[in-house]
Amino acid sequence: MHTSIPGRAVRGLSLLLALLLASGCLVLTACRTAPGDSATGTSGTGADTSADTESAAPDNTASTDTATGSGSEPAPETPGTEPVFSVGGGLYTGALSLALTLPAGLPESTTIRYTTNGSVPTGRSTGYRAPLDILAKADTALTVSLIGGVAVGVFGFFATEPLLRLMGTTKEILPSAVPYMKAYFTGMPGCLLYNYLAAIQRSGGDTKHPLLFLAISGVANVGLNILMVAGFRLGALGVGIATSASQYIAAAAILIFMLREEGCCRVTGFALDGERLKKMVLIGLPAGLQGTLFSLSNVIIQSSINTYGTYVVAGNAAGSNLDGFLYIAMNSVYTAALTFVGQNVGAGKYARIKKISFLCVGLVTFIGVSLGVVLVVFGEKLLLIFATGENKDAVVKAGMNRLLVMGTTYFLCGLMDVGCGIMRGMGKTILPMIVSLVGSCLFRIVWIATVCPRFPDNIFALYISYPISWFITAAVHYG
């Protein structure tokens, strides 16, 4: 046994990257663009439009303190230098035109600069030239999610078997893996639709309904799994069908809710606005690329794990299912950090950002450590849920090898994600992508190619690359 990168996996990475890039970049950060698409004021809720004034003369530069939202009150420490908004702050359900004018006392040569994503305007921000048309529509996101979901689903359905073979999937697993993945990819339109609309709903301050719809789909998933596997005896294919069906249940629930909603996040139909799409891509592309690169490194790791044999592959998959619950719990803190930091940056409440950051760091550490201990202590009993048959002891042992590493160090992943969320909330999207690329993805690839071959029979040599990469990336984020 060895852990070097299989030649077939390397040859297949270019094709796999295309799939991952499509899915990663299409699941854009709608939560950052939705406020720009809605007519939502920022009285304590976040930024719709941020603006500052900049004099054309170097020695007559106006204050760069941010005036946020429609009709945001000027900062008291810099009176008279904030733009005047034609529409007062508040919540609007229809389209409106927002005009920005110079305050009294500033020369006509002064330029107003603004942003539409909640970040602080700088000298490089867009200069105001004409009234801003603010649309109360999420229709572009709805259309893009469906188009992207269908595209990714069709590609994945037909590319599943070649990609699995290129990853070095064993012959024993392939007959079950192919139908499962094909069934899974049929749920991509529902998956993307829910994620887009849920992000928009959360950006409007509603986190309860997306959680409710996700919980409903989760319960449905469990019930359908039992029906498909125990009732219809469909095995892995049944699990894939249940997963896809639950995706469509969540998507249908949130779509119906947003069609009936009376507010800035209401969906009215299908539309494709080029300008809105461009903004979504510019904001979401770095996050999509980061997710793609993480997936790429995970594919390489999985290709190496496949060389250890069927029991290790099964145990790793079972352990991954368990620590996946821990990741979801910590990822909710990342979402909170991104949302609240972004809203307070947009609202000009910079003093709150430090407190929010400390709270999120403490919360994600507590969740990661406490749930990680649960995984380690009760890992063997939990793994028996997934391990059956006469070889279940070997599968459980392999699964515990993963949980011993993940359960004790997964909080580092949470810290890494929260640091990334804080930076994105402050309007920095490129830097987190670069840090993640080098600190996690590139590091893991180099580790597998150089370190793992020195310990060909030790799976811990591979697993340890996870916490090391998390620590490096988190250190750069907070440094």
Side-chain angles (χ1 to χ4, degrees), residues 203-215:
S203 72
D206 180 7
T207 60
K208 179 177 65 175
H209 285 97
L211 176 61
L212 174 62
F213 301 141
L214 190 62

Side-chain angles (χ1 to χ4, degrees), residues 241-406:
I241 293 174
T243 301
S244 293
S246 66
Q247 300 279 18
Y248 285 110
I249 290 172
I254 195 169
L255 177 60
I256 292 172
F257 175 80
M258 294 180 69
L259 284 170
R260 297 178 176 178
E261 185 181 31
E262 295 294 336
C264 61
C265 296
R266 182 182 181 184
V267 172
T268 59
F270 294 96
L272 195 60
D273 185 279
E275 189 63 28
R276 301 295 172 185
L277 178 60
K278 180 181 177 181
K279 291 179 179 179
M280 290 173 66
V281 172
L282 290 177
I283 295 175
L285 185 60
L289 286 174
Q290 178 177 329
T292 299
L293 294 170
F294 267 103
S295 298
L296 177 60
S297 65
N298 288 335
V299 166
I300 295 176
I301 290 177
Q302 183 61 51
S303 299
S304 297
I305 292 174
N306 289 344
T307 64
Y308 282 91
T310 303
Y311 298 150
V312 173
V313 172
N316 177 76
S320 178
N321 284 330
L322 291 177
D323 61 50
F325 289 102
L326 175 54
Y327 174 78
I328 292 173
M330 294 190 299
N331 188 253
S332 65
V333 184
Y334 155 78
T335 303
L338 172 64
T339 301
F340 288 115
V341 170
Q343 287 180 344
N344 282 277
V345 167
K349 305 293 185 180
Y350 304 110
R352 297 179 180 175
I353 296 176
K354 186 175 182 180
K355 180 180 180 181
I356 293 171
S357 300
F358 276 118
L359 287 174
C360 289
V361 167
L363 181 59
V364 80
T365 302
F366 173 77
I367 292 174
V369 172
S370 58
L371 293 185
V373 170
V374 172
L375 287 181
V376 173
V377 173
F378 300 100
E380 292 186 359
K381 294 182 179 179
L382 294 172
L383 287 169
L384 286 173
I385 299 174
F386 304 94
T388 58
E390 59 183 16
N391 299 315
K392 63 181 180 181
D393 292 338
V395 174
V396 169
K397 181 179 179 181
M400 281 304 301
N401 288 337
R402 177 185 175 95
L403 293 182
L404 286 174
V405 176
M406 296 298 184

Side-chain angles (χ1 to χ4, degrees), residues 173-199:
I173 298 176
L174 201 61
S176 297
V178 171
Y180 168 80
M181 290 303 300
K182 286 186 175 183
Y184 180 85
F185 273 112
T186 60
M188 277 294 107
C191 177
L192 266 69
L193 178 61
Y194 170 80
N195 281 306
Y196 268 69
L197 298 184

